[in-house]
Amino acid sequence: MGLSGAALVGSVFLFLRTDVSSLRAPTAPKSAGVKLLLDGPYGARFAGELAASRQGYFSTRIEVLAQTEDPDFVQTIAGQHAIGVTSGQKFLLASWRGVPVTAFAASFLDTSVAVFTLEASGLRRPADLVSKRVGYRRASEGDVVFDAMMAQLGLPRSQITKVPGRDSFEALRAGEVDAVITAIDEQPDPSSSAFVKLNVIKPQDYGIHVPGLVYFASNGLVHEQPSLIADVLQGLIRGWQFAYADYARSVPVLAGAGPTRLSPERLKFELQQQRPLVLPMGGRIGDYDESRWRTLRDILIFAKLGEEDVPLAQTVNYQFVRDVYRRSPDLAAPGAWSAEK
């Protein structure tokens, strides 16, 4: 009877343990997915994101979506607990307003903004623009970067006529302005009927270095799922490597990445124009340094667009990039970046 009683007690104990363990057993996580939103239409400037998605470089289910014409893009990312890519300027101004977001890597390590003039005009340097008409968009990244460049060079901005809303190449060709401030991927390519030979004045050549496009996420996502951020960053780096390793392979993939097929010729031209921004000489994909952020902070304050209510140390994270390259040193291998490609 003693043995029978012990067996009975043991059976009950095992039953209870099984029951409790089944309640505590972790359930398989649902594949909820995370959104990666692009601040603009599908195209070459988001080639790394599109390639990573199409080639399966994300280890987590990531939904890449274009979010065009959203004036509150950074706030949208914070509200949706998502990841986004936008200009460093738009990100920093939003974070100063208290939007809870953190930047974790760069897409374009430098600004894509440049000043364009007609080659026949002979306007080739910032000093040549004094007393000339320059087309621009108010409070845009180009407007801010241009003013900072001219101020750094000690050139009289008061002697330059800035024409708002005339930042197109059509306005330049029509003679409405002598120069335009716009992104390098906006210029017409040689195969276009609108092509005209241009001079390009790049702010980087005159000491103005600021983050171009940056990857960022809601603070909640960064704090709660840091491993996801790291996995996404690794996928983005591989995506950019794929985009530039061989145009014959990458361009067809990227051309079909959006809802409507993109022009392969135009894609290749834009990729070639922006390549130094994705990987400047001696740099690594996605990497940025504090000096660029400090410069951006200073010129935004100089332009009276905002004040640093939230310190850079609280809004910009450098550790994700460092950790990803430390864990996967092959990501920094130069093999995919030969000049011929």
Side-chain angles (χ1 to χ4, degrees):
M1 288 181 63
L3 290 174
S4 300
L8 178 60
V9 171
S11 299
V12 171
F13 178 72
L14 286 173
F15 172 80
L16 290 175
R17 280 197 61 186
T18 303
D19 187 56
V20 171
S21 64
S22 66
L23 290 175
R24 293 179 179 173
T27 56
K30 294 181 179 179
S31 182
V34 173
K35 290 181 180 179
L36 171 53
L37 301 182
L38 316 175
D39 189 11
Y42 295 101
R45 62 173 42 205
F46 302 119
E49 298 89 303
L50 297 174
S53 178
R54 291 294 293 262
Q55 296 298 108
Y57 294 144
F58 294 131
S59 59
T60 307
R61 189 165 71 85
I62 302 296
E63 187 178 10
V64 178
L65 298 169
Q67 190 90 2
T68 58
E69 299 181 4
D70 183 354
D72 298 316
F73 180 81
V74 179
Q75 180 64 63
T76 297
I77 298 300
Q80 295 192 20
H81 213 53
I83 297 172
V85 53
T86 191
S87 70
Q89 175 172 320
K90 187 180 289 189
F91 165 82
L92 197 53
L93 289 175
S95 69
W96 285 355
R97 294 195 304 268
V99 180
V101 286
T102 299
F104 61 86
S107 171
F108 287 4
L109 278 68
D110 231 320
T111 180
S112 64
V113 167
V115 182
F116 294 89
T117 66
L118 297 176
E119 185 181 66
S121 70
L123 305 176
R124 292 182 171 83
R125 301 172 303 149
D128 297 334
L129 302 176
V130 176
S131 77
K132 298 296 187 291
R133 302 161 299 163
V134 179
Y136 79 113
R137 283 186 296 116
R138 283 194 178 95
S140 65
E141 179 184 1
D143 181 20
V144 172
V145 168
F146 176 79
D147 280 355
M149 178 180 69
M150 302 302 278
Q152 175 147 312
L153 295 172
L155 297 171
R157 289 177 295 141
S158 60
Q159 295 181 30
I160 297 172
T161 303
K162 294 174 72 177
V163 186
R166 289 292 183 271
D167 56 329
S168 68
F169 288 98
E170 289 77 8
L172 181 63
R173 286 194 303 271
E176 298 174 13
V177 290
D178 303 299
V180 293
I181 307 169
T182 191
I184 59 170
D185 58 347
E186 296 292 334
Q187 61 183 304
D189 60 82
S191 65
S192 168
S193 59
F195 177 74
V196 61
K197 291 185 177 181
L198 300 166
N199 296 321
V200 186
I201 302 172
K202 296 182 178 181
Q204 299 96 301
D205 295 337
Y206 298 92
I208 302 297
H209 296 277
V210 297
L213 294 175
V214 299
Y215 296 115
F216 67 100
S218 68
N219 284 350
L221 195 62
V222 170
H223 296 148
E224 295 165 16
Q225 301 187 61
S227 60
L228 181 144
I229 300 296
D231 288 344
V232 168
L233 177 54
Q234 181 167 300
L236 290 168
I237 293 171
R238 294 194 185 283
W240 281 114
Q241 286 180 332
F242 173 82
Y244 282 106
D246 184 353
Y247 291 140
R249 289 185 59 211
S250 63
V251 168
V253 171
L254 296 170
T260 57
R261 185 168 178 79
L262 304 172
S263 164
E265 294 78 13
R266 180 67 194 178
L267 267 173
K268 183 177 179 180
F269 174 77
E270 292 181 11
L271 284 170
Q272 291 170 330
Q273 299 305 307
Q274 70 189 30
R275 184 191 183 282
L277 306 179
V278 177
L279 188 74
M281 187 67 67
R284 300 186 301 190
I285 301 171
D287 208 353
Y288 50 30
D289 57 55
E290 190 176 352
S291 66
R292 280 178 163 83
W293 283 105
R294 288 199 303 265
T295 300
L296 178 59
R297 174 197 61 195
D298 293 345
I299 68 175
L300 290 176
I301 293 174
F302 174 74
K304 295 181 170 60
L305 290 179
E307 292 294 332
E308 189 182 19
D309 297 322
V310 182
L312 283 175
Q314 295 181 24
T315 59
V316 180
N317 183 297
Y318 304 93
Q319 198 60 44
F320 283 106
V321 174
R322 294 168 185 165
D323 287 348
V324 164
Y325 279 109
R326 178 176 53 80
R327 291 198 309 266
S328 304
D330 62 297
L331 292 177
W337 299 95
S338 63
E340 297 79 17
K341 297 176 181 179

